[in-house]
Amino acid sequence: MKIYHTSYLEISKSALEHNLQFLKNFIGDDVKISSVVKGNAYGHGLEVFVPLAENCGINHFSVFSADEALRVHNSINENSTVMIMGLINNEKLEWAIENNIEFYVFEPDRLEKALEAAKRIGKIAKIHIEVETGMNRTGFAMDQLPAVFQLLKNNSSHLCFKGLCTHFAGAESIANYYRIKKQQHVFRKVIKKVDAAGLNPEQKHTACSAAALRYPKFQMDLVRLGIIQYGFFPNKEILIEYLTKKKENQNPLQRLISWKSRVMDVKKVKTGEFVGYGTSYLANSDLKIAIIPVGYAHGFNRNLSNQGIVLINGQRVSVVGTVNMNMITVDVSNQVNSVKKGDEVVLIGKQGDLEISVSSFSEFSEQVNYELLTRLPENLPRLVVD
Ligand SMILES: *Cc1c(COP(=O)(O)O)cnc(C)c1O
């Protein structure tokens, strides 16, 4: 296969099928899964990922913003729903309503503007009322809710109360347990108020990946699953908790993503010479190095200078010298099979019996999985593989 790019990502279809089957079994038939595809589908490539998820029966997608919603809208079939959890400018509300795009409403201005837009175009707006339960980010405060409810009741022919929702402030960490429990208590109180107001949102939802696993009662009608569908537990704590509860010892998820490149050149370096820019790596013996056309401009973090590990010929090799904008150099002196131009390089993923996991990669670069994935440049080719 011929590609113009210096590296590429592979996205595994069968791994996604496997993960979604696992999640459906775990969550059950009564709870809807919304596939969270913000951040370019956590780096997997939104346009590549969405149709794959649809093929697995997913028909609800959540994004942060209107630009992402537009991209999902252009990638889905007409039975799928898009939900904006964050920013949509008032000027784009008509567009959203016109195209059946659902959106969060968490402050009075958007609520009023949504109502006006719905009236103007004569189409009902499907809105999710986000409530502040203790994260202190977006969401209506308790004392704002009576007015919100009144407005919804008075305008039910223009505004559809599609969802009632909140977000937990770090459900993946037990250190936040008390805070999350308080949020859950507040959300329960809000539900009572909604009931008392005679309103009936179709979907109550609170749970991200970690909360769906850790607090099953809060799966409610819909879970907003991001990181886990891509084959990653939100953090090690959640993985260990899951395995302990289930008395299992194997990670039930499969990673979708691999990142690959090819050796662009190999050369010898004499004892006492420095490799690359500056003096950060001194050759203590005669070396053979391979040059790989991937650098920080491609998402290979500079913190991996003299630290990163990649796979070539089924063996681990270390990055020597600094990570450049477009290149790294690795020490291949001890390779059994001589490394040559064109050999496959695995930056993330498996080669032979070995694997570079995103988490090991991100530990060195001090990034969490989420950050590393979403920073993979949008212009890297994403190839779907089985
Ligand atoms: C990103 C996000 C999610 C998904 O989080 P994961 O930890 O990736 O499952 C859910 N809800 C909201 C509001 C989000 O912003």
Side-chain angles (χ1 to χ4, degrees):
M1 182 209 42
K2 291 196 170 63
I3 50 169
Y4 288 100
H5 292 79
T6 66
S7 71
Y8 58 96
L9 300 168
E10 286 180 352
I11 307 297
S12 164
K13 204 169 90 177
S14 57
L16 177 62
E17 284 161 7
H18 170 90
N19 294 341
L20 288 174
Q21 197 53 54
F22 164 77
L23 290 167
K24 280 178 197 161
N25 291 345
F26 185 85
I27 282 156
D29 291 335
D30 299 338
V31 181
K32 190 169 187 67
I33 293 179
S34 180
S35 166
V36 180
V37 294
K38 64 191 182 194
N40 197 26
Y42 290 50
H44 290 63
L46 190 151
E47 286 78 7
V48 170
F49 181 82
V50 164
L52 293 179
E54 275 189 329
N55 274 337
C56 298
I58 296 292
N59 63 6
H60 196 288
F61 295 93
S62 294
V63 294
F64 175 71
S65 51
D67 63 310
E68 294 173 332
L70 174 63
R71 288 172 61 189
V72 179
H73 182 68
N74 290 335
S75 309
I76 52 175
N77 63 49
E78 70 253 32
N79 301 321
S80 292
T81 303
V82 188
M83 178 170 83
I84 298 174
M85 304 185 292
L87 184 72
I88 173 164
N89 288 320
N90 288 342
E91 299 75 46
K92 282 288 155 220
L93 288 169
E94 277 188 24
W95 165 79
I97 298 165
E98 192 62 59
N99 289 289
N100 280 318
I101 291 167
E102 302 179 6
F103 50 91
Y104 276 30
V105 174
F106 43 74
E107 45 89 19
D109 181 59
R110 186 180 292 177
L111 186 59
E112 283 156 23
K113 295 297 189 302
L115 176 57
E116 286 167 20
K119 282 182 178 166
R120 238 182 352 256
I121 64 170
K123 195 164 171 194
I124 199 158
K126 295 176 184 165
I127 63 174
H128 293 253
I129 299 293
E130 186 186 17
V131 292
E132 178 57 73
T133 55
M135 176 150 180
N136 294 311
R137 200 170 65 178
T138 48
F140 283 108
M142 207 62 125
D143 62 358
Q144 293 178 298
L145 289 177
V148 173
F149 295 161
Q150 197 54 52
L151 186 138
L152 290 176
K153 277 166 96 171
N154 294 347
N155 296 284
S156 58
S157 51
H158 302 291
L159 296 175
C160 163
F161 191 179
K162 186 76 189 182
L164 179 75
C165 54
T166 195
H167 188 55
F168 297 129
E172 70 282 355
S173 177
I174 202 70
N176 303 326
Y177 182 78
Y178 181 63
R179 186 169 172 204
I180 306 292
K181 282 283 159 184
K182 261 171 60 182
Q183 285 190 268
Q184 294 176 344
H185 181 71
V186 174
F187 196 66
R188 285 219 165 89
K189 269 191 1 208
V190 171
I191 291 174
K192 285 206 181 110
K193 286 190 190 232
V194 172
D195 287 345
L199 288 162
N200 190 17
E202 273 176 50
Q203 297 165 332
K204 300 184 190 86
H205 52 103
T206 68
C208 57
S209 299
L213 292 176
R214 178 168 271 170
Y215 306 105
K217 280 194 185 129
F218 279 79
Q219 292 173 358
M220 300 194 162
D221 302 305
L222 175 143
V223 286
R224 308 181 303 256
L225 301 183
I227 195 90
I228 199 160
Q229 52 176 343
Y230 306 103
F232 303 94
F233 277 81
N235 60 8
K236 280 204 190 109
E237 190 181 311
I238 293 286
L239 168 62
I240 291 165
E241 183 180 80
Y242 173 84
L243 295 176
T244 312
K245 265 193 204 160
K246 293 277 169 183
K247 300 192 165 55
E248 286 174 19
N249 56 18
Q250 235 191 341
N251 187 330
L253 301 173
Q254 294 175 7
R255 194 199 48 241
L256 273 61
I257 207 165
S258 303
W259 187 12
K260 296 180 177 174
S261 180
R262 294 194 176 276
V263 172
M264 69 186 270
D265 197 10
V266 286
K267 70 163 48 169
K268 290 180 174 153
V269 178
K270 287 225 158 64
T271 308
E273 293 280 314
F274 295 105
V275 176
Y277 287 121
T279 53
S280 83
Y281 193 84
L282 172 71
N284 282 317
S285 55
D286 286 352
L287 296 182
K288 189 174 166 193
I289 59 169
I291 294 99
I292 300 164
V294 174
Y296 56 80
H298 308 108
F300 200 92
N301 198 294
R302 261 191 103 245
N303 292 346
L304 294 164
S305 298
N306 289 311
Q307 290 228 51
I309 292 169
V310 304
L311 302 176
I312 303 180
N313 281 343
Q315 287 184 276
R316 290 191 187 89
V317 296
S318 303
V319 173
V320 291
T322 55
V323 174
N324 299 178
M325 185 186 291
N326 300 108
M327 283 183 270
I328 51 174
T329 41
V330 296
D331 179 1
V332 294
S333 311
N334 299 321
Q335 294 297 290
V336 183
N337 297 314
S338 172
V339 170
K340 55 185 189 313
K341 176 178 170 181
D343 283 352
E344 183 188 74
V345 180
V346 171
L347 306 152
I348 290 176
K350 287 187 183 140
Q351 195 185 53
D353 300 332
L354 296 180
E355 174 168 7
I356 308 280
S357 68
V358 170
S359 62
S360 67
F361 193 97
S362 47
E363 259 164 36
F364 283 120
S365 60
E366 293 173 25
Q367 291 172 305
V368 295
N369 282 345
Y370 292 83
E371 186 182 353
L372 184 133
L373 291 168
T374 52
R375 281 180 178 228
L376 290 169
E378 254 176 65
N379 62 0
L380 286 182
R382 271 95 175 151
L383 312 175
V384 177
V385 297
D386 184 56

